[in-house]
Amino acid sequence: MRPDRPDDTSPAPGWQAQPVDPDTAVDPWPPRRAPSPGRRQAEILAAVTAGGVLGACARYGATLLWPTVPGAFPWTTFWINVTGCAAMGVLMVLITERTTAHPLVRPFLGTGVLGGYTTFSTYAVDARALFGDHRAGTALLYLAATLVAALFAVWAGAGLTRLLALPRATRTEGEA
Amino acid sequence: MNWLMVVVGAAVGAPLRYLVDRAVQARHGGVFPWGTVVVNVAACTVLGFLTGAAAATTVPPALQHLVGPGLCATLSTYSTFSFETLRLAETGAKPSAAANVVVSVVAGLAAAFLGGMAGQALLR
């Protein structure tokens, strides 16, 4: 059941009903504890910051564990971005189609943890460094491989979650 | 010390991405995710500048960690970018999905090059 429409047992409208940019959407607050707009903004910013720090630490830790040799294919950043995108596909299906998530789940996990964990700037700057090292082939391969694998990962993550996690409406009917 | 710098940079980069993204998306009505493009290109410019500066002169490791894996890597995002591309493609806006990929990669790469050249030229 949706907190904003308690009588509505239809399936969640899913991400089709939402803005393309997932970071700008604000999920409804539970009616029992709806804070003031200013308080909401502060809570969202705090959740984004805390999640972003966690995601950044996971990324930085991974680059320390598996350092990339200059001139080599940046595998560590490649896998960071691919795994982060797969997790994003899973998360977005879960919170927009399968459950009614608390409004701080998306800012914390999506915008914060996954947004902070994945990186576009390291991707572009590492590719530029490969071009600078006269490794244009590796640079182009890295640019294309990350793009294809990341888009496949978010698509597959979303698709698998749709298959494996039962829609909320089915579950409600089963319990009734 | 390096970890602390990464944490401080990330604590600025993550909310900055959220605020800039929202401000940009609020200023135009279309479906194209300009907010994410703007934060990603900005982060590529700054990280490119830092890399160029580090090639030209000595940049303290603490500052490199604050701006690199801390601020820039957290300010930019691949997960939101690829999710938005999938969303555009799924909703039938395939030209916009393709445009998002081309604009983000070309502009990000150009920003990394220009930032790098500026960093090297200014701090030589």
PDB file of all heavy atoms in Angstrom, chain B residues 57-91:
ATOM      1  N   THR B  57      54.103  20.284 -11.939  1.00  0.00           N
ATOM      2  CA  THR B  57      54.720  20.735 -10.705  1.00  0.00           C
ATOM      3  C   THR B  57      54.404  19.731  -9.593  1.00  0.00           C
ATOM      4  O   THR B  57      53.712  18.744  -9.826  1.00  0.00           O
ATOM      5  CB  THR B  57      54.218  22.143 -10.326  1.00  0.00           C
ATOM      6  OG1 THR B  57      54.850  22.540  -9.103  1.00  0.00           O
ATOM      7  CG2 THR B  57      52.718  22.186 -10.130  1.00  0.00           C
ATOM      8  N   THR B  58      54.918  19.998  -8.381  1.00  0.00           N
ATOM      9  CA  THR B  58      54.652  19.085  -7.271  1.00  0.00           C
ATOM     10  C   THR B  58      53.351  19.485  -6.581  1.00  0.00           C
ATOM     11  O   THR B  58      53.238  20.596  -6.068  1.00  0.00           O
ATOM     12  CB  THR B  58      55.814  19.130  -6.253  1.00  0.00           C
ATOM     13  OG1 THR B  58      57.039  19.013  -6.981  1.00  0.00           O
ATOM     14  CG2 THR B  58      55.693  18.000  -5.257  1.00  0.00           C
ATOM     15  N   VAL B  59      52.386  18.588  -6.607  1.00  0.00           N
ATOM     16  CA  VAL B  59      51.122  18.816  -5.897  1.00  0.00           C
ATOM     17  C   VAL B  59      51.142  17.928  -4.658  1.00  0.00           C
ATOM     18  O   VAL B  59      51.380  16.721  -4.777  1.00  0.00           O
ATOM     19  CB  VAL B  59      49.910  18.475  -6.794  1.00  0.00           C
ATOM     20  CG1 VAL B  59      48.612  18.685  -6.037  1.00  0.00           C
ATOM     21  CG2 VAL B  59      49.924  19.309  -8.066  1.00  0.00           C
ATOM     22  N   PRO B  60      50.920  18.494  -3.462  1.00  0.00           N
ATOM     23  CA  PRO B  60      50.967  17.678  -2.237  1.00  0.00           C
ATOM     24  C   PRO B  60      49.985  16.501  -2.316  1.00  0.00           C
ATOM     25  O   PRO B  60      48.861  16.672  -2.808  1.00  0.00           O
ATOM     26  CB  PRO B  60      50.536  18.653  -1.138  1.00  0.00           C
ATOM     27  CG  PRO B  60      50.706  20.011  -1.716  1.00  0.00           C
ATOM     28  CD  PRO B  60      50.597  19.891  -3.193  1.00  0.00           C
ATOM     29  N   PRO B  61      50.385  15.299  -1.853  1.00  0.00           N
ATOM     30  CA  PRO B  61      49.507  14.126  -1.925  1.00  0.00           C
ATOM     31  C   PRO B  61      48.161  14.360  -1.235  1.00  0.00           C
ATOM     32  O   PRO B  61      47.126  13.877  -1.708  1.00  0.00           O
ATOM     33  CB  PRO B  61      50.300  13.035  -1.188  1.00  0.00           C
ATOM     34  CG  PRO B  61      51.717  13.488  -1.236  1.00  0.00           C
ATOM     35  CD  PRO B  61      51.709  14.982  -1.292  1.00  0.00           C
ATOM     36  N   ALA B  62      48.182  15.124  -0.125  1.00  0.00           N
ATOM     37  CA  ALA B  62      46.922  15.375   0.578  1.00  0.00           C
ATOM     38  C   ALA B  62      45.941  16.099  -0.333  1.00  0.00           C
ATOM     39  O   ALA B  62      44.756  15.741  -0.406  1.00  0.00           O
ATOM     40  CB  ALA B  62      47.185  16.195   1.847  1.00  0.00           C
ATOM     41  N   LEU B  63      46.426  17.108  -1.056  1.00  0.00           N
ATOM     42  CA  LEU B  63      45.564  17.865  -1.967  1.00  0.00           C
ATOM     43  C   LEU B  63      45.101  16.979  -3.121  1.00  0.00           C
ATOM     44  O   LEU B  63      43.948  17.040  -3.554  1.00  0.00           O
ATOM     45  CB  LEU B  63      46.335  19.082  -2.503  1.00  0.00           C
ATOM     46  CG  LEU B  63      45.536  20.048  -3.395  1.00  0.00           C
ATOM     47  CD1 LEU B  63      44.375  20.655  -2.633  1.00  0.00           C
ATOM     48  CD2 LEU B  63      46.435  21.145  -3.953  1.00  0.00           C
ATOM     49  N   GLN B  64      46.013  16.121  -3.618  1.00  0.00           N
ATOM     50  CA  GLN B  64      45.642  15.209  -4.704  1.00  0.00           C
ATOM     51  C   GLN B  64      44.508  14.278  -4.273  1.00  0.00           C
ATOM     52  O   GLN B  64      43.586  14.006  -5.043  1.00  0.00           O
ATOM     53  CB  GLN B  64      46.848  14.379  -5.131  1.00  0.00           C
ATOM     54  CG  GLN B  64      47.900  15.199  -5.853  1.00  0.00           C
ATOM     55  CD  GLN B  64      48.838  14.321  -6.674  1.00  0.00           C
ATOM     56  OE1 GLN B  64      48.429  13.294  -7.184  1.00  0.00           O
ATOM     57  NE2 GLN B  64      50.092  14.737  -6.781  1.00  0.00           N
ATOM     58  N   HIS B  65      44.575  13.764  -3.034  1.00  0.00           N
ATOM     59  CA  HIS B  65      43.524  12.863  -2.557  1.00  0.00           C
ATOM     60  C   HIS B  65      42.220  13.611  -2.288  1.00  0.00           C
ATOM     61  O   HIS B  65      41.141  13.089  -2.531  1.00  0.00           O
ATOM     62  CB  HIS B  65      43.985  12.124  -1.299  1.00  0.00           C
ATOM     63  CG  HIS B  65      44.917  10.987  -1.600  1.00  0.00           C
ATOM     64  ND1 HIS B  65      46.259  11.168  -1.793  1.00  0.00           N
ATOM     65  CD2 HIS B  65      44.684   9.672  -1.786  1.00  0.00           C
ATOM     66  CE1 HIS B  65      46.825  10.004  -2.059  1.00  0.00           C
ATOM     67  NE2 HIS B  65      45.889   9.076  -2.075  1.00  0.00           N
ATOM     68  N   LEU B  66      42.347  14.839  -1.781  1.00  0.00           N
ATOM     69  CA  LEU B  66      41.151  15.645  -1.510  1.00  0.00           C
ATOM     70  C   LEU B  66      40.378  15.912  -2.801  1.00  0.00           C
ATOM     71  O   LEU B  66      39.164  15.715  -2.866  1.00  0.00           O
ATOM     72  CB  LEU B  66      41.569  16.975  -0.862  1.00  0.00           C
ATOM     73  CG  LEU B  66      40.454  17.966  -0.546  1.00  0.00           C
ATOM     74  CD1 LEU B  66      39.687  17.518   0.688  1.00  0.00           C
ATOM     75  CD2 LEU B  66      41.015  19.373  -0.339  1.00  0.00           C
ATOM     76  N   VAL B  67      41.095  16.330  -3.848  1.00  0.00           N
ATOM     77  CA  VAL B  67      40.442  16.740  -5.096  1.00  0.00           C
ATOM     78  C   VAL B  67      40.173  15.548  -6.012  1.00  0.00           C
ATOM     79  O   VAL B  67      39.151  15.509  -6.690  1.00  0.00           O
ATOM     80  CB  VAL B  67      41.307  17.807  -5.817  1.00  0.00           C
ATOM     81  CG1 VAL B  67      40.658  18.234  -7.123  1.00  0.00           C
ATOM     82  CG2 VAL B  67      41.506  19.016  -4.918  1.00  0.00           C
ATOM     83  N   GLY B  68      41.078  14.552  -6.046  1.00  0.00           N
ATOM     84  CA  GLY B  68      40.932  13.425  -6.975  1.00  0.00           C
ATOM     85  C   GLY B  68      39.892  12.403  -6.540  1.00  0.00           C
ATOM     86  O   GLY B  68      38.707  12.534  -6.877  1.00  0.00           O
ATOM     87  N   PRO B  69      40.312  11.367  -5.793  1.00  0.00           N
ATOM     88  CA  PRO B  69      39.348  10.349  -5.372  1.00  0.00           C
ATOM     89  C   PRO B  69      38.293  10.892  -4.403  1.00  0.00           C
ATOM     90  O   PRO B  69      37.227  10.295  -4.268  1.00  0.00           O
ATOM     91  CB  PRO B  69      40.214   9.284  -4.676  1.00  0.00           C
ATOM     92  CG  PRO B  69      41.519   9.933  -4.405  1.00  0.00           C
ATOM     93  CD  PRO B  69      41.692  11.059  -5.369  1.00  0.00           C
ATOM     94  N   GLY B  70      38.582  12.027  -3.755  1.00  0.00           N
ATOM     95  CA  GLY B  70      37.594  12.621  -2.853  1.00  0.00           C
ATOM     96  C   GLY B  70      36.540  13.404  -3.607  1.00  0.00           C
ATOM     97  O   GLY B  70      35.450  12.903  -3.888  1.00  0.00           O
ATOM     98  N   LEU B  71      36.888  14.651  -3.994  1.00  0.00           N
ATOM     99  CA  LEU B  71      35.893  15.560  -4.578  1.00  0.00           C
ATOM    100  C   LEU B  71      35.428  15.131  -5.976  1.00  0.00           C
ATOM    101  O   LEU B  71      34.236  14.894  -6.192  1.00  0.00           O
ATOM    102  CB  LEU B  71      36.470  16.985  -4.626  1.00  0.00           C
ATOM    103  CG  LEU B  71      35.561  18.020  -5.284  1.00  0.00           C
ATOM    104  CD1 LEU B  71      34.344  18.303  -4.409  1.00  0.00           C
ATOM    105  CD2 LEU B  71      36.308  19.310  -5.573  1.00  0.00           C
ATOM    106  N   CYS B  72      36.366  15.032  -6.927  1.00  0.00           N
ATOM    107  CA  CYS B  72      35.960  14.850  -8.331  1.00  0.00           C
ATOM    108  C   CYS B  72      35.286  13.507  -8.592  1.00  0.00           C
ATOM    109  O   CYS B  72      34.252  13.435  -9.252  1.00  0.00           O
ATOM    110  CB  CYS B  72      37.167  15.000  -9.251  1.00  0.00           C
ATOM    111  SG  CYS B  72      37.756  16.685  -9.314  1.00  0.00           S
ATOM    112  N   ALA B  73      35.899  12.427  -8.078  1.00  0.00           N
ATOM    113  CA  ALA B  73      35.334  11.103  -8.334  1.00  0.00           C
ATOM    114  C   ALA B  73      33.943  10.986  -7.715  1.00  0.00           C
ATOM    115  O   ALA B  73      33.073  10.299  -8.251  1.00  0.00           O
ATOM    116  CB  ALA B  73      36.263  10.021  -7.799  1.00  0.00           C
ATOM    117  N   THR B  74      33.711  11.672  -6.594  1.00  0.00           N
ATOM    118  CA  THR B  74      32.404  11.599  -5.944  1.00  0.00           C
ATOM    119  C   THR B  74      31.413  12.568  -6.588  1.00  0.00           C
ATOM    120  O   THR B  74      30.216  12.275  -6.666  1.00  0.00           O
ATOM    121  CB  THR B  74      32.548  11.890  -4.445  1.00  0.00           C
ATOM    122  OG1 THR B  74      33.606  11.088  -3.925  1.00  0.00           O
ATOM    123  CG2 THR B  74      31.271  11.562  -3.686  1.00  0.00           C
ATOM    124  N   LEU B  75      31.914  13.711  -7.055  1.00  0.00           N
ATOM    125  CA  LEU B  75      31.047  14.671  -7.751  1.00  0.00           C
ATOM    126  C   LEU B  75      30.503  14.056  -9.038  1.00  0.00           C
ATOM    127  O   LEU B  75      29.350  14.266  -9.403  1.00  0.00           O
ATOM    128  CB  LEU B  75      31.841  15.952  -8.052  1.00  0.00           C
ATOM    129  CG  LEU B  75      31.155  17.056  -8.848  1.00  0.00           C
ATOM    130  CD1 LEU B  75      29.963  17.609  -8.082  1.00  0.00           C
ATOM    131  CD2 LEU B  75      32.139  18.186  -9.158  1.00  0.00           C
ATOM    132  N   SER B  76      31.327  13.268  -9.724  1.00  0.00           N
ATOM    133  CA  SER B  76      30.878  12.628 -10.959  1.00  0.00           C
ATOM    134  C   SER B  76      30.249  11.275 -10.633  1.00  0.00           C
ATOM    135  O   SER B  76      30.456  10.721  -9.562  1.00  0.00           O
ATOM    136  CB  SER B  76      32.058  12.444 -11.917  1.00  0.00           C
ATOM    137  OG  SER B  76      32.980  11.527 -11.395  1.00  0.00           O
ATOM    138  N   THR B  77      29.466  10.774 -11.575  1.00  0.00           N
ATOM    139  CA  THR B  77      28.779   9.493 -11.348  1.00  0.00           C
ATOM    140  C   THR B  77      28.600   8.741 -12.658  1.00  0.00           C
ATOM    141  O   THR B  77      28.310   9.343 -13.689  1.00  0.00           O
ATOM    142  CB  THR B  77      27.401   9.707 -10.693  1.00  0.00           C
ATOM    143  OG1 THR B  77      26.683   8.469 -10.703  1.00  0.00           O
ATOM    144  CG2 THR B  77      26.567  10.743 -11.431  1.00  0.00           C
ATOM    145  N   TYR B  78      28.829   7.434 -12.612  1.00  0.00           N
ATOM    146  CA  TYR B  78      28.551   6.589 -13.770  1.00  0.00           C
ATOM    147  C   TYR B  78      27.204   5.886 -13.621  1.00  0.00           C
ATOM    148  O   TYR B  78      26.532   5.602 -14.598  1.00  0.00           O
ATOM    149  CB  TYR B  78      29.659   5.540 -13.957  1.00  0.00           C
ATOM    150  CG  TYR B  78      29.998   5.314 -15.418  1.00  0.00           C
ATOM    151  CD1 TYR B  78      31.084   5.953 -15.997  1.00  0.00           C
ATOM    152  CD2 TYR B  78      29.217   4.495 -16.216  1.00  0.00           C
ATOM    153  CE1 TYR B  78      31.386   5.783 -17.340  1.00  0.00           C
ATOM    154  CE2 TYR B  78      29.511   4.321 -17.550  1.00  0.00           C
ATOM    155  CZ  TYR B  78      30.601   4.958 -18.110  1.00  0.00           C
ATOM    156  OH  TYR B  78      30.886   4.797 -19.440  1.00  0.00           O
ATOM    157  N   SER B  79      26.811   5.602 -12.366  1.00  0.00           N
ATOM    158  CA  SER B  79      25.579   4.832 -12.152  1.00  0.00           C
ATOM    159  C   SER B  79      24.352   5.642 -12.563  1.00  0.00           C
ATOM    160  O   SER B  79      23.445   5.116 -13.214  1.00  0.00           O
ATOM    161  CB  SER B  79      25.481   4.388 -10.694  1.00  0.00           C
ATOM    162  OG  SER B  79      25.697   5.471  -9.821  1.00  0.00           O
ATOM    163  N   THR B  80      24.315   6.935 -12.198  1.00  0.00           N
ATOM    164  CA  THR B  80      23.175   7.770 -12.579  1.00  0.00           C
ATOM    165  C   THR B  80      23.162   7.966 -14.089  1.00  0.00           C
ATOM    166  O   THR B  80      22.108   7.885 -14.732  1.00  0.00           O
ATOM    167  CB  THR B  80      23.242   9.124 -11.850  1.00  0.00           C
ATOM    168  OG1 THR B  80      23.257   8.879 -10.447  1.00  0.00           O
ATOM    169  CG2 THR B  80      22.052   9.999 -12.182  1.00  0.00           C
ATOM    170  N   PHE B  81      24.340   8.189 -14.673  1.00  0.00           N
ATOM    171  CA  PHE B  81      24.467   8.364 -16.127  1.00  0.00           C
ATOM    172  C   PHE B  81      23.922   7.142 -16.876  1.00  0.00           C
ATOM    173  O   PHE B  81      23.115   7.277 -17.799  1.00  0.00           O
ATOM    174  CB  PHE B  81      25.950   8.615 -16.470  1.00  0.00           C
ATOM    175  CG  PHE B  81      26.333   8.288 -17.887  1.00  0.00           C
ATOM    176  CD1 PHE B  81      25.915   9.077 -18.950  1.00  0.00           C
ATOM    177  CD2 PHE B  81      27.126   7.180 -18.166  1.00  0.00           C
ATOM    178  CE1 PHE B  81      26.276   8.775 -20.252  1.00  0.00           C
ATOM    179  CE2 PHE B  81      27.497   6.872 -19.460  1.00  0.00           C
ATOM    180  CZ  PHE B  81      27.054   7.664 -20.509  1.00  0.00           C
ATOM    181  N   SER B  82      24.316   5.940 -16.482  1.00  0.00           N
ATOM    182  CA  SER B  82      23.872   4.771 -17.246  1.00  0.00           C
ATOM    183  C   SER B  82      22.407   4.451 -16.956  1.00  0.00           C
ATOM    184  O   SER B  82      21.689   4.003 -17.850  1.00  0.00           O
ATOM    185  CB  SER B  82      24.770   3.561 -16.982  1.00  0.00           C
ATOM    186  OG  SER B  82      24.868   3.311 -15.626  1.00  0.00           O
ATOM    187  N   PHE B  83      21.957   4.727 -15.740  1.00  0.00           N
ATOM    188  CA  PHE B  83      20.532   4.515 -15.456  1.00  0.00           C
ATOM    189  C   PHE B  83      19.676   5.450 -16.312  1.00  0.00           C
ATOM    190  O   PHE B  83      18.663   5.027 -16.885  1.00  0.00           O
ATOM    191  CB  PHE B  83      20.224   4.735 -13.970  1.00  0.00           C
ATOM    192  CG  PHE B  83      18.764   4.662 -13.667  1.00  0.00           C
ATOM    193  CD1 PHE B  83      18.120   3.439 -13.599  1.00  0.00           C
ATOM    194  CD2 PHE B  83      18.003   5.810 -13.509  1.00  0.00           C
ATOM    195  CE1 PHE B  83      16.757   3.359 -13.368  1.00  0.00           C
ATOM    196  CE2 PHE B  83      16.642   5.742 -13.277  1.00  0.00           C
ATOM    197  CZ  PHE B  83      16.020   4.514 -13.207  1.00  0.00           C
ATOM    198  N   GLU B  84      20.091   6.716 -16.389  1.00  0.00           N
ATOM    199  CA  GLU B  84      19.329   7.682 -17.196  1.00  0.00           C
ATOM    200  C   GLU B  84      19.309   7.275 -18.664  1.00  0.00           C
ATOM    201  O   GLU B  84      18.276   7.425 -19.339  1.00  0.00           O
ATOM    202  CB  GLU B  84      19.948   9.072 -17.047  1.00  0.00           C
ATOM    203  CG  GLU B  84      19.672   9.692 -15.705  1.00  0.00           C
ATOM    204  CD  GLU B  84      20.590  10.855 -15.392  1.00  0.00           C
ATOM    205  OE1 GLU B  84      21.632  11.008 -16.071  1.00  0.00           O
ATOM    206  OE2 GLU B  84      20.269  11.600 -14.468  1.00  0.00           O
ATOM    207  N   THR B  85      20.426   6.756 -19.156  1.00  0.00           N
ATOM    208  CA  THR B  85      20.479   6.309 -20.549  1.00  0.00           C
ATOM    209  C   THR B  85      19.505   5.156 -20.773  1.00  0.00           C
ATOM    210  O   THR B  85      18.753   5.129 -21.753  1.00  0.00           O
ATOM    211  CB  THR B  85      21.917   5.880 -20.907  1.00  0.00           C
ATOM    212  OG1 THR B  85      22.805   6.945 -20.572  1.00  0.00           O
ATOM    213  CG2 THR B  85      22.054   5.575 -22.386  1.00  0.00           C
ATOM    214  N   LEU B  86      19.484   4.186 -19.848  1.00  0.00           N
ATOM    215  CA  LEU B  86      18.549   3.054 -19.944  1.00  0.00           C
ATOM    216  C   LEU B  86      17.108   3.544 -19.895  1.00  0.00           C
ATOM    217  O   LEU B  86      16.256   3.092 -20.670  1.00  0.00           O
ATOM    218  CB  LEU B  86      18.810   2.067 -18.797  1.00  0.00           C
ATOM    219  CG  LEU B  86      17.829   0.898 -18.689  1.00  0.00           C
ATOM    220  CD1 LEU B  86      18.043  -0.089 -19.826  1.00  0.00           C
ATOM    221  CD2 LEU B  86      17.965   0.183 -17.350  1.00  0.00           C
ATOM    222  N   ARG B  87      16.834   4.487 -18.978  1.00  0.00           N
ATOM    223  CA  ARG B  87      15.486   5.028 -18.820  1.00  0.00           C
ATOM    224  C   ARG B  87      15.012   5.681 -20.112  1.00  0.00           C
ATOM    225  O   ARG B  87      13.883   5.468 -20.555  1.00  0.00           O
ATOM    226  CB  ARG B  87      15.475   6.067 -17.684  1.00  0.00           C
ATOM    227  CG  ARG B  87      15.030   5.537 -16.384  1.00  0.00           C
ATOM    228  CD  ARG B  87      13.511   5.382 -16.336  1.00  0.00           C
ATOM    229  NE  ARG B  87      12.841   6.616 -15.971  1.00  0.00           N
ATOM    230  CZ  ARG B  87      12.011   7.278 -16.735  1.00  0.00           C
ATOM    231  NH1 ARG B  87      11.744   6.840 -17.938  1.00  0.00           N
ATOM    232  NH2 ARG B  87      11.431   8.378 -16.325  1.00  0.00           N
ATOM    233  N   LEU B  88      15.894   6.501 -20.715  1.00  0.00           N
ATOM    234  CA  LEU B  88      15.542   7.176 -21.969  1.00  0.00           C
ATOM    235  C   LEU B  88      15.276   6.144 -23.064  1.00  0.00           C
ATOM    236  O   LEU B  88      14.303   6.253 -23.803  1.00  0.00           O
ATOM    237  CB  LEU B  88      16.663   8.129 -22.394  1.00  0.00           C
ATOM    238  CG  LEU B  88      16.802   9.411 -21.561  1.00  0.00           C
ATOM    239  CD1 LEU B  88      18.103  10.124 -21.888  1.00  0.00           C
ATOM    240  CD2 LEU B  88      15.622  10.346 -21.798  1.00  0.00           C
ATOM    241  N   ALA B  89      16.129   5.113 -23.164  1.00  0.00           N
ATOM    242  CA  ALA B  89      15.964   4.100 -24.200  1.00  0.00           C
ATOM    243  C   ALA B  89      14.675   3.315 -23.973  1.00  0.00           C
ATOM    244  O   ALA B  89      13.945   3.017 -24.922  1.00  0.00           O
ATOM    245  CB  ALA B  89      17.167   3.166 -24.201  1.00  0.00           C
ATOM    246  N   GLU B  90      14.367   2.986 -22.707  1.00  0.00           N
ATOM    247  CA  GLU B  90      13.170   2.201 -22.376  1.00  0.00           C
ATOM    248  C   GLU B  90      11.887   2.953 -22.673  1.00  0.00           C
ATOM    249  O   GLU B  90      10.875   2.350 -22.991  1.00  0.00           O
ATOM    250  CB  GLU B  90      13.178   1.847 -20.880  1.00  0.00           C
ATOM    251  CG  GLU B  90      13.746   0.497 -20.555  1.00  0.00           C
ATOM    252  CD  GLU B  90      13.411   0.080 -19.137  1.00  0.00           C
ATOM    253  OE1 GLU B  90      12.830   0.884 -18.385  1.00  0.00           O
ATOM    254  OE2 GLU B  90      13.736  -1.061 -18.792  1.00  0.00           O
ATOM    255  N   THR B  91      11.903   4.277 -22.510  1.00  0.00           N
ATOM    256  CA  THR B  91      10.684   5.051 -22.702  1.00  0.00           C
ATOM    257  C   THR B  91      10.525   5.501 -24.146  1.00  0.00           C
ATOM    258  O   THR B  91       9.689   6.344 -24.436  1.00  0.00           O
ATOM    259  CB  THR B  91      10.674   6.290 -21.775  1.00  0.00           C
ATOM    260  OG1 THR B  91      11.944   6.935 -21.876  1.00  0.00           O
ATOM    261  CG2 THR B  91      10.449   5.892 -20.341  1.00  0.00           C
TER     262      THR B  91
END
